[in-house]
Structure formats: structure tokens, C-alpha cells
Amino acid sequence: MSKKITFDYWKHLYSNRTKYMVSSEIRDLLSLSARPDIISFSGGLPEVRALSFERLEKYIRRIIKTDGAVSLQYSGSDGYYPLKTKLIEVMKLEGVDTVEEDIITTTGSQHALDLLSKIFINPGDVIITEAPSYTGALNSFNSYEAKITGIPVDEHGIDVSILEEKLKEFKKEGVVVKFIYLVPNFSNPSGVTLTLERRKKVLELAKKYKTIILEDNPYGMLRFEGRSIPTIKELDINGDNRNVIYLCTLSKLLAPGLRIGWIVAPHPILEKIILGVQSTILCVSALSQRIAYEYFSDPSWQENIERFKSIYSKRRDAMLSSLEENFPRGTEWSRPVGGFFIWLKIQDFLNTKEILADAVRNKVAFVPGSGFYADNRGLNEARLAYCTEDTDRIKKGIKILAGIIKEKIKLYKSFK
Ligand SMILES: Cc1ncc(COP(=O)(O)O)c(C=O)c1O
């Protein structure tokens, strides 16, 4: 559908905040990736077709039959208590030990990020993220006018020495760091996992410099190999247990269409978050929360996770081996042990935004790297999502991308 261009008469009325709610020039290109003829490595779309729709239908019928009026009504702003009891069981599998009173459900984790930005960030406040970091989080922090400091990531996660230096510097300048935002497991977008030593160090630094860690863990249960590493939340057991706010979502464990996420936080923070929920959405969908409750009440949910893992790990393998076979020397990529994403670095004289334009012409899409940095670094980097396409299309798409990159390198060298 072509975009209708209309003059905006109301520019003078917008809040300052809207200036920071930036749209990206690649959005139009990426919107093409929804077309079935495009091989999409762009969105992190879970394979919801692997779910049993019969089972989901059964849950919804049961809810409407036994609890219909309540499930279609407004509900409490802090979330559906029986679901919280189930979420406690789910989180226990990842070593997070908590109680219903310390949990609030949200409309997906994106809502959680918005709520946390709302209650912590004044314009100009400093926060720290990984660099690269999840675009949705950067957008949320930016829209509340935060000053974002990105700390580089290597194959073991955020660089803790640089983090320490930065925290020291901020302290010297009297700058308060409102929080450190991390995706420690198979990060979006880098695919890397923060080591245990670094998790301990980040926690130690957060305590020393009196700040909070937002630990965003949507992918932790989707580990394909190796032993899981304790969450930072789990490590925060000594002493006061108050430096970590833990975020999770059903988007990758069930389906993003339900829009259910949750936050575990110390009680005083939760009270503020609840006020945020009341002023934004009133309450999370009662129906969605009940569907999630039914899902976790059926022991088959863990089989679904195994099915998801098997699908995604095969797709990861297909992408890694195709990269190995087709990509030219001088390109590098991460090797995730779970989750959805591979991070790609190509020759520094190439620009992945330009490559995207060519790729889309050749019916392949991915996300250029600069959108994952607060300061537009990462021009020769990109995120490749392997979760969406089947293995044959992954192999085909990677071969096409490799061809485009090789052509660009040849062209560049011909001018030298
Ligand atoms: C790291 C991270 N946090 C939050 C979200 C938002 O998830 P939700 O669908 O729960 O809003 C995503 C979605 O891809 C994500 O990758």
C-alpha cells in the first residue's frame, strides 16, 4: 500500500519528547520484509505455528465458559494473582526465587521498559546500556530524554572494565547513573551471553556505585547447548536483594500476540510501577492473563519450549554454516548458544544500510547495525535473525547476502 503524504498542521503543538521518538529511515525497507517473497532475517518473530492451536482453543473455551464475565472485564492493576503463582514456578526453572507480591504483569516487556523509563528517567538523566543494545529499549529511554552511555560488548558480554571506568568517571563528576540495562542471555541484538564472572562484577559495581540493573531476560529459556548461567537477579541474594529489576515476557515462551510480560522488583519500586500502569493502560488484559495461566497450568508447556529450541537451534546451525561457507574473509559474526540473533561485522569500508537496499532488491532483509547504538555507530554491522525462516530459505538468503557483500568489496577494491 502506498503511503499517503499529508501536511502536518499541528507540528507546533507536539511535546519536546516527540523529537526523541525518532523514526528510522530503514523502517520502510524493513516493512517490505513482511512480504512472503522476501527472506526475512529482520524481525525476531517467534515460530508460533509450532504451538498446538487445538490446545489454545481448549484453554480459551474453558476460560469463557467458566470465567467469561471476569475475563472480559477490567481487572486489578497489579496483575492476575494465580498467573503470578505460575510465573514463580517458571522463574524457578531459571533460578529466580520470588513471591507473588514482588511481581507485576505488564503488556509485554516493551511496556515494562516504558514504565521503568517513566518512573526513573528525567530529561538528561544518565543510563548505561550495552552497545549494541535492544532498539526497543533505546527508543523507550530516548523518548524519556535519557542520556545513554553505551558500553562495548565482546564475545563475553558487556566489557566490565570499561563499565567500571565509566562509573568511576560519572561518580567523580557527581553524575547519578539511574540504571544499567542488560540482556545477559543470547542478547538482542548481539547474540552473546554474559559470563558468570562478569555478571558478578556488574552486580558488584551496581552495589558499589549505588545503581540498579535492569535485567531483561526474554530468551533465557531458549538455550540450545551448555549449562545455564545464574541470572543476576539470582546472584543478588547476599545482603539486601535490591539492586536488580528483572524483566521477562511470554512473547518468546508462548506468543507475542498475547502481550504479556512481567517485572520482579523490590516492593517500593513496584508501587510506583503500579501507578504507572494505572495512568497508561489501567490494567493488563484479563483474558490474556488467563490464557497464560492455562498455558502454564498444562504441563505440556515445557514440551513447547523443547520444540521451539529444536526449531531455532536447527535454524541457527543453518545460518552459521551458511555464513562459514559463503561469507568472505574479513567478516565476523557471533555464535549464539540460544535465542534468535547473530551479530555480523563486515569490512569497515562497507555500510550495511546501503547493503540493505541492495539486499531488499534481491529479496532478502536484515537490520543494519546503527539502530542498535545510541550514537549511530555500527555502520558496518548488522543483526541477522534466524528464528523466522526455515533452513532452506536461510541458506538461500545468506548466499544472496554474501554475493552482494563480495560485489561491494570488489567494487571498492577496483577504486583503490
Ligand atoms: C531484549 C528484549 N526486550 C524486550 C522485548 C519486547 O518484548 P515484548 O514482546 O514482551 O514486548 C524484546 C522483543 O523482541 C526483546 O528482544
Side-chain angles (χ1 to χ4, degrees):
M1 199 169 66
S2 69
K3 229 182 188 171
K4 196 171 160 203
I5 312 284
T6 49
F7 184 77
D8 188 353
Y9 290 98
W10 307 113
K11 273 189 174 161
H12 60 296
L13 297 184
Y14 294 129
S15 69
N16 291 340
R17 200 173 308 117
T18 56
K19 274 205 301 269
Y20 302 95
M21 295 161 73
V22 286
S23 158
S24 104
E25 75 260 38
I26 56 170
R27 189 174 289 169
D28 283 349
L29 270 180
L30 289 179
S31 66
L32 289 173
S33 66
R35 276 179 15 194
D37 58 328
I38 300 264
I39 298 175
S40 176
F41 302 143
S42 54
L45 308 183
E47 188 52 276
V48 289
R49 286 169 298 193
L51 292 164
S52 161
F53 287 1
E54 288 79 27
R55 280 217 177 96
L56 287 168
E57 189 185 330
K58 204 174 76 190
Y59 305 152
I60 295 168
R61 276 185 186 281
R62 185 155 59 220
I63 294 163
I64 297 296
K65 202 166 167 191
T66 61
D67 214 9
V70 183
S71 67
L72 296 170
Q73 196 48 274
Y74 292 112
S75 58
S77 304
D78 59 337
Y80 180 46
Y81 196 91
L83 173 60
K84 294 188 197 182
T85 306
K86 289 287 161 202
L87 296 179
I88 289 172
E89 291 169 19
V90 173
M91 283 188 282
K92 234 177 219 146
L93 299 174
E94 290 212 78
V96 175
D97 199 5
T98 189
V99 291
E100 286 84 351
E101 287 67 30
D102 287 349
I103 304 175
I104 180 170
T105 54
T106 58
T107 301
S109 275
Q110 193 61 38
H111 179 216
L113 289 166
D114 182 72
L115 288 167
L116 290 162
S117 302
K118 195 185 189 78
I119 69 164
F120 283 115
I121 300 172
N122 287 319
D125 277 351
V126 168
I127 61 138
I128 291 179
T129 68
E130 295 157 287
S133 182
Y134 167 54
T135 342
L138 294 179
N139 287 343
S140 184
F141 306 151
N142 268 325
S143 70
Y144 285 90
E145 303 175 54
K147 249 164 97 183
I148 301 172
T149 295
I151 304 290
V153 163
D154 62 23
E155 73 268 34
H156 304 300
I158 191 166
D159 186 322
V160 283
S161 328
I162 301 178
L163 175 65
E164 186 162 19
E165 278 313 303
K166 264 286 157 206
L167 286 166
K168 234 186 246 170
E169 232 175 271
F170 282 136
K171 189 172 178 205
K172 224 190 225 163
E173 293 162 2
V175 172
V176 173
V177 174
K178 288 292 181 83
F179 55 76
I180 303 167
Y181 170 73
L182 297 174
V183 185
N185 289 316
F186 338 118
S187 186
N188 181 1
S190 67
V192 303
T193 295
L194 191 64
T195 59
L196 179 59
E197 292 67 32
R198 288 196 188 182
R199 290 178 195 222
K200 287 181 181 163
K201 184 68 186 175
V202 175
L203 183 59
E204 181 196 312
L205 292 173
K207 286 189 187 294
K208 182 168 172 191
Y209 290 95
K210 297 191 171 46
T211 191
I212 290 170
I213 298 168
L214 298 194
E215 181 178 27
D216 190 359
N217 190 24
Y219 305 99
M221 284 212 163
L222 301 175
R223 175 179 274 276
F224 313 145
E225 60 214 26
R227 288 194 8 184
S228 63
I229 302 173
T231 61
I232 308 175
K233 174 76 190 146
E234 183 183 352
L235 297 172
D236 188 25
I237 40 170
N238 295 328
D240 39 30
N241 199 355
R242 66 176 175 214
N243 284 82
V244 182
I245 296 178
Y246 182 82
L247 276 60
C248 199
T249 173
L250 286 192
S251 291
K252 314 296 177 330
L253 303 180
L254 171 53
L258 285 180
R259 308 307 299 130
I260 298 288
W262 67 98
I263 305 174
V264 181
H267 207 70
I269 297 178
L270 274 191
E271 283 177 357
K272 300 275 183 296
I273 296 172
I274 291 171
L275 297 177
V277 170
Q278 287 167 357
S279 70
T280 49
I281 58 158
L282 296 179
C283 59
V284 174
S285 158
L287 179 60
S288 283
Q289 291 189 85
R290 277 166 176 76
I291 296 170
Y293 169 78
E294 291 287 333
Y295 178 71
F296 286 124
S297 300
D298 183 339
S300 73
W301 79 269
Q302 296 210 37
E303 290 160 25
N304 287 336
I305 302 295
E306 291 308 313
R307 197 170 314 126
F308 281 141
K309 287 199 296 191
S310 153
I311 292 170
Y312 300 138
S313 66
K314 284 193 186 98
R315 292 178 181 179
R316 178 218 42 188
D317 291 345
M319 189 172 274
L320 285 177
S321 59
S322 302
L323 285 165
E324 207 68 63
E325 276 162 33
N326 297 289
F327 265 51
R329 256 195 295 152
T331 51
E332 295 169 26
W333 51 88
S334 59
R335 288 168 175 77
V337 290
F340 284 7
F341 308 108
I342 288 175
W343 190 249
L344 177 70
K345 269 190 194 164
I346 59 175
Q347 282 73 0
D348 55 14
F349 52 82
L350 296 178
N351 183 329
T352 49
K353 280 189 194 171
E354 285 167 22
I355 288 171
L356 176 64
D358 280 357
V360 168
R361 248 177 263 125
N362 287 279
K363 303 202 178 334
V364 180
F366 62 88
V367 189
S370 55
F372 299 97
Y373 289 90
D375 53 7
N376 277 322
R377 274 178 283 165
L379 290 178
N380 61 323
E381 300 172 16
R383 189 189 74 180
L384 303 176
Y386 50 77
C387 50
T388 313
E389 299 286 0
D390 66 33
T391 53
D392 286 344
R393 278 166 67 92
I394 287 174
K395 287 180 193 160
K396 188 173 166 199
I398 291 294
K399 221 173 188 168
I400 294 171
L401 268 187
I404 296 169
I405 291 167
K406 283 177 188 161
E407 270 305 307
K408 294 264 181 209
I409 295 173
K410 214 157 99 191
L411 189 68
Y412 175 82
K413 291 196 169 154
S414 72
F415 285 120
K416 282 186 72 184

